[in-house]
Amino acid sequence: MHYISTRNTKKKSSFREVFLNALSPDGGLYIPKEIPVFSSKELEELSKLSYKDLAGNIIFKFCSEEFSEKEVREIVENSYKNFRNENVVCLKKYDQNYLLELFHGPTLAFKDIAMQIIGNMYQKIIKKKNNTINIVVATSGDTGSAAIDALKGKNKINIFVLHPKGKTSDIQRKLMTTVNDKNVFNIAVNGNFDDCQTLVKSMFTDIEFKNTVNMSGVNSINWARIISQIVYFFYAYFQVINKEEKKINFSVPTGNFGDIYAGYIAKKMGLPINKLIIATNQNDILKRAINQGEYKIENVIETISPSMDIQVASNFERLIFNTNLKNDQDIIEKMKNLKNKKYFKIDKNQLNKIKVDFIAESISEKETEKYIYDFYDKYKYILDPHTAVAYGVLNKVSCEGTNIVLCTAHPSKFPKAISKVLGIQPKLPDNLCNIMNEKENYDIVDNNLFKIKNYILSKI
Ligand SMILES: *Cc1c(COP(=O)(O)O)cnc(C)c1O
């Protein structure tokens, strides 16, 4: 399988390049030239597999030039051995809707599912290479802790995590900053998440700097994260379709558009998902883009679902590419407009294509709190604020069939929001109950590309 860039369809890249570069040197995102499609007979076979066997099958499709089937199986096995659930995820039914819990990994958010795979892929690839890799990543809270857990203590890998100072929850920060391994560096940036993401993107497109530090990335633009996330759309679909003879929709709490884009790829691979529901908080750029045809950056609003406080949804570039007949020149034009004028337009034709697969809706803070309250009142189950957004939008959209809501974080990661609404503190899993008392390690750096680069250079 070859990969191309959304901004250059002529140049071919291997899985290893895609994995290590994360962002293509032309600033575009990598995408497979052809997406593999399963026949209905193959889908039937896949539906009988355990989560881990399914993961092995799906992930192998995308990286068979780099890893043998056996290696992929080892990667999967190692990645999920510390999860609190044998089948990685957990599906629960409440009235007509299903909740798909994705937070049973070490740092309590769905990002562990992909990040652990990435960590183990690095380890295998690095054995075939000589020099130390420096991973630089921006986080709004959950990516950072997941990446640190997946990479801490690994040989010949350093990890630098940029988080927006004071804008993550205390537990999110603690999960990052209390890790003591020598290869972990936390940077609190005086800015918001979009600033962090812009800094990281600038370093990736500065080829000289990137080569000097042998830089690599694990942000949600890394294709390996997408392929690891495709798996649970298949798994959940197979579980539910056995019980419900209906159309199946997924409601996904969305920020950078990585998770829901994995659902889209699952559909392109032949999984007959009905609709993918893009659920956002008040940072609703995706809703405005899809409903009005203008992708326009506005100021970021801080909410109780901070991992979705994003205006530039990086992976959306991939969808734009998939729905414009893979026209790289059009992407370059649109991204130039985004940079210079803070918006680009999507024409009617393309919007209609997007609407075949997607519905976009957002809810307010008040509504989010109401859904956390109501759900607990009814079922004694605590929705984390991100999940509550995805559950809440179901009441605003109309689409046929059964809904699966992706539960992206454990509620104990957001105790302030939960205790404000419910008056109770959600309990942390046992192995994390001391974390609030542990010593933190991080450095504060200005929102300044030069200073961030110097910081990284001084540590390697
Ligand atoms: C990262 C994150 C999201 C958003 O996922 P994207 O792939 O960026 O759209 C939603 N909820 C939680 C809890 C997250 O950590």
Side-chain angles (χ1 to χ4, degrees):
M1 172 183 290
H2 288 301
Y3 289 84
I4 52 176
S5 157
T6 51
R7 302 190 199 176
N8 181 352
T9 52
K10 295 198 184 64
K11 189 167 170 291
K12 289 179 182 166
S13 301
S14 66
F15 179 80
R16 186 187 293 198
E17 279 174 275
V18 167
F19 181 74
L20 293 176
N21 283 341
L23 188 68
S24 171
D26 53 41
L29 276 66
Y30 290 111
I31 219 158
K33 191 156 195 306
E34 305 289 342
I35 294 170
V37 182
F38 292 118
S39 67
S40 44
K41 188 151 171 286
E42 285 171 308
L43 286 174
E44 173 73 31
E45 290 302 311
L46 292 175
S47 74
K48 296 174 191 144
L49 300 181
S50 70
Y51 189 94
K52 290 173 194 171
D53 288 341
L54 185 61
N57 263 279
I58 291 173
I59 293 169
F60 181 66
K61 285 258 174 214
F62 293 94
C63 56
S64 54
E65 275 103 44
E66 181 66 38
F67 303 117
S68 68
E69 236 176 312
K70 180 165 166 282
E71 282 179 311
V72 173
R73 269 205 306 277
E74 285 165 6
I75 288 168
V76 170
E77 207 46 60
N78 282 330
S79 296
Y80 299 138
K81 64 173 189 269
N82 292 330
F83 275 56
R84 291 179 297 279
N85 208 32
E86 169 60 23
N87 263 324
V88 184
V89 302
C90 189
L91 197 67
K92 295 182 173 161
K93 189 174 187 193
Y94 292 93
D95 288 338
Q96 291 319 301
N97 299 310
Y98 287 83
L99 299 185
L100 179 63
E101 294 179 346
L102 303 172
F103 50 68
H104 297 294
T107 70
L108 311 177
F110 84 100
K111 293 191 170 75
D112 285 324
I113 294 177
M115 211 61 89
Q116 292 289 327
I117 296 279
I118 288 206
N120 287 303
M121 283 185 171
Y122 271 114
Q123 197 153 46
K124 287 227 186 283
I125 287 179
I126 217 146
K127 280 195 187 136
K128 306 171 193 169
K129 283 174 69 99
N130 287 324
N131 39 1
T132 296
I133 291 180
N134 290 292
I135 291 163
V136 184
V137 59
T139 186
S140 55
D142 292 334
T143 301
S145 50
I148 288 170
D149 192 275
L151 297 164
K152 65 184 181 192
K154 288 217 187 319
N155 250 339
K156 296 203 288 185
I157 300 177
N158 293 316
I159 165 137
F160 294 86
V161 175
L162 283 68
H163 73 263
K165 184 170 174 291
K167 296 200 167 61
T168 65
S169 81
D170 290 344
I171 305 239
Q172 282 182 315
R173 193 190 66 251
K174 287 271 182 180
L175 282 166
M176 297 190 276
T177 58
T178 59
V179 175
N180 280 318
D181 295 79
K182 285 201 304 290
N183 68 336
V184 174
F185 301 93
N186 278 289
I187 307 172
V189 177
N190 281 315
N192 60 33
F193 171 69
D194 285 328
D195 295 328
C196 295
Q197 186 160 254
T198 304
L199 288 165
V200 171
K201 273 196 178 174
S202 308
M203 288 187 266
F204 270 101
T205 43
D206 178 342
I207 302 301
E208 198 188 321
F209 179 78
K210 184 172 166 276
N211 290 342
T212 310
V213 303
N214 195 25
M215 192 168 132
S216 184
V218 296
N219 265 97
S220 70
I221 50 171
N222 191 314
W223 180 254
R225 279 184 62 179
I226 307 281
I227 60 180
S228 312
Q229 291 170 191
I230 292 171
V231 180
Y232 47 74
F233 285 90
F234 276 87
Y235 186 76
Y237 184 97
F238 291 144
Q239 304 270 304
V240 170
I241 202 70
N242 285 333
K243 304 188 188 93
E244 322 270 340
E245 298 287 324
K246 279 199 213 155
K247 293 179 173 169
I248 291 176
N249 313 301
F250 285 90
S251 184
V252 184
T254 297
N256 229 344
F257 206 74
D259 207 7
I260 197 158
Y261 184 76
Y264 174 78
I265 297 295
K267 189 170 179 183
K268 295 286 145 200
M269 292 174 80
L271 191 70
I273 297 169
N274 183 37
K275 293 284 183 192
L276 293 157
I277 303 165
I278 303 167
T280 69
N281 61 28
Q282 284 159 294
N283 296 290
D284 61 352
I285 185 167
L286 289 165
K287 173 185 166 184
R288 287 184 281 112
I290 288 173
N291 297 342
Q292 293 156 29
E294 194 171 82
Y295 185 88
K296 184 164 182 279
I297 300 176
E298 288 180 355
N299 289 332
V300 179
I301 304 165
E302 280 179 44
T303 73
I304 55 169
S305 44
S307 299
M308 291 148 63
D309 291 348
I310 288 171
Q311 281 290 326
V312 187
S314 299
N315 282 290
F316 195 58
E317 179 170 336
R318 287 194 163 112
L319 182 67
I320 294 293
F321 181 77
N322 288 118
T323 50
N324 77 350
L325 306 171
K326 302 189 176 177
N327 181 342
D328 52 4
Q329 293 311 309
D330 177 53
I331 296 284
I332 290 170
E333 186 64 32
K334 281 189 165 63
M335 294 305 147
K336 217 196 269 159
N337 279 336
L338 189 64
K339 197 164 178 196
N340 299 334
K341 301 186 201 151
K342 301 252 183 261
Y343 78 91
F344 62 78
K345 285 199 184 300
I346 309 167
D347 71 37
K348 252 230 156 80
N349 200 357
Q350 194 173 0
L351 278 183
N352 287 340
K353 272 195 216 161
I354 292 172
K355 285 180 188 166
V356 171
D357 300 310
F358 293 94
I359 299 177
E361 191 49 85
S362 70
I363 67 174
S364 69
E365 291 288 89
K366 270 229 156 59
E367 290 172 295
T368 308
E369 290 178 351
K370 176 184 169 302
Y371 287 113
I372 294 172
Y373 184 89
D374 288 352
F375 206 87
Y376 186 74
D377 196 41
K378 211 164 168 190
Y379 307 112
K380 292 288 166 286
Y381 181 102
I382 306 177
L383 297 174
D384 104 279
H386 305 77
T387 306
V389 169
Y391 176 75
V393 300
L394 292 177
N395 291 297
K396 287 186 153 182
V397 301
S398 60
C399 62
E400 268 180 84
T402 302
N403 301 308
I404 302 175
V405 176
L406 267 51
C407 306
T408 47
H410 191 283
S412 65
K413 240 182 157 171
F414 303 95
K416 264 196 202 135
I418 301 298
S419 69
K420 183 182 162 218
V421 179
L422 298 179
I424 53 171
Q425 291 276 346
K427 259 180 68 182
L428 281 163
D430 291 345
N431 60 329
L432 292 171
C433 59
N434 278 329
I435 196 166
M436 295 311 282
N437 304 321
E438 285 172 30
K439 187 178 161 293
E440 296 187 61
N441 307 295
Y442 63 91
D443 293 303
I444 301 166
V445 183
D446 285 341
N447 174 19
N448 175 303
L449 185 59
F450 181 74
K451 288 188 182 169
I452 299 276
K453 282 182 178 170
N454 275 346
Y455 176 92
I456 293 172
L457 289 170
S458 75
K459 300 290 182 189
I460 60 175

